[in-house]
Amino acid sequence: MIVYGKNVWTTLLQFPDQIETIYVQQGMKDKTRIAQIEQSNIPYQWMNRKQLDRIAQNSHHQGIVCEVKEIPTVELESLIHPNGLLVALDGIQDPQNVGAILRTCDCVGVDGMILTKHKSAGLTPSAIKASTGAAYTVPTCIVNNLTNTLKTLKKQGYWIIGTDMEKARDYREGIYDVPICLVIGSEGKGMSPLVKKQCDYVVKLPMEGSITSLNASVACGILLYQIHSQRHPL
């Protein structure tokens, strides 16, 4: 797998065993980063901009590209904790959203993320870059059937909280001092009917203007910080 970007590189320094080869843009002036690369004992090559563009398959690599091992995923059981907090993505297809949500999960201390194997974006290079490296710090579980996974979590005492505008309570009225799995629905369609049936309740964000919805990653960020605020009051 190919990943890229300065923030991803900074996170990867914590997981050097994941890196197989480093590709660096010729003429890089960041002496600190060059020193990190030279001292890493990891094979590296200098390349021109066009060569890096070709390896990364885009021009947003910021001068550093890494060939890495596949990000290891975890089993659901390892994510279950007392008063735990999980995020499940139901059909999110934009890797930028996946990455942004991972970044927020890291910031608020989420125990892990649940992705579905089909009809959703995975841990792609674009998602990893958008996560600024959080794809390596937030444990991720990939499941075949999200509905069955939510049923398993409910048996372990988790409350399933969905996001929807219909028959929903204001997000500030949510019960957040229990083990939670927050489900974020897909762009446009929201949660699937079968997933929605597993929710103990759903929450909504107030929309005061003419726009009727928020980007999935933005909505997830607001909800996660609301949960964090209630669990860790000043």
Side-chain angles (χ1 to χ4, degrees), residues 112-138:
M113 174 182 282
I114 300 169
L115 297 175
T116 55
K117 185 174 291 185
H118 307 289
K119 297 181 180 180
S120 64
L123 297 177
T124 64
S126 295
I128 294 168
K129 184 176 188 297
S131 78
T132 65
Y136 286 95
T137 61
V138 178

Side-chain angles (χ1 to χ4, degrees), residues 4 32 51 61 81 91 95 100 116 154 159-160 234:
Y4 46 83
T32 299
Q51 289 173 313
H61 46 71
H81 302 289
T116 55
K154 292 177 79 167
W159 287 40
I160 311 303
L234 292 176

Side-chain angles (χ1 to χ4, degrees), residues 163-182:
T163 50
D164 200 57
M165 292 301 291
E166 295 183 5
K167 298 180 181 180
R169 65 181 69 177
D170 188 287
Y171 78 109
R172 291 163 291 190
E173 299 174 337
I175 300 169
Y176 301 131
D177 59 350
V178 294
I180 291 170
C181 179
L182 176 66

Side-chain angles (χ1 to χ4, degrees), residues 36-53:
Q36 291 171 340
I37 293 167
E38 292 176 341
Q39 295 168 13
S40 68
N41 294 320
I42 299 169
Y44 68 93
Q45 299 179 32
W46 293 97
M47 292 190 167
N48 61 41
R49 180 62 183 261
K50 288 185 177 180
Q51 289 173 313
L52 280 184
D53 289 353

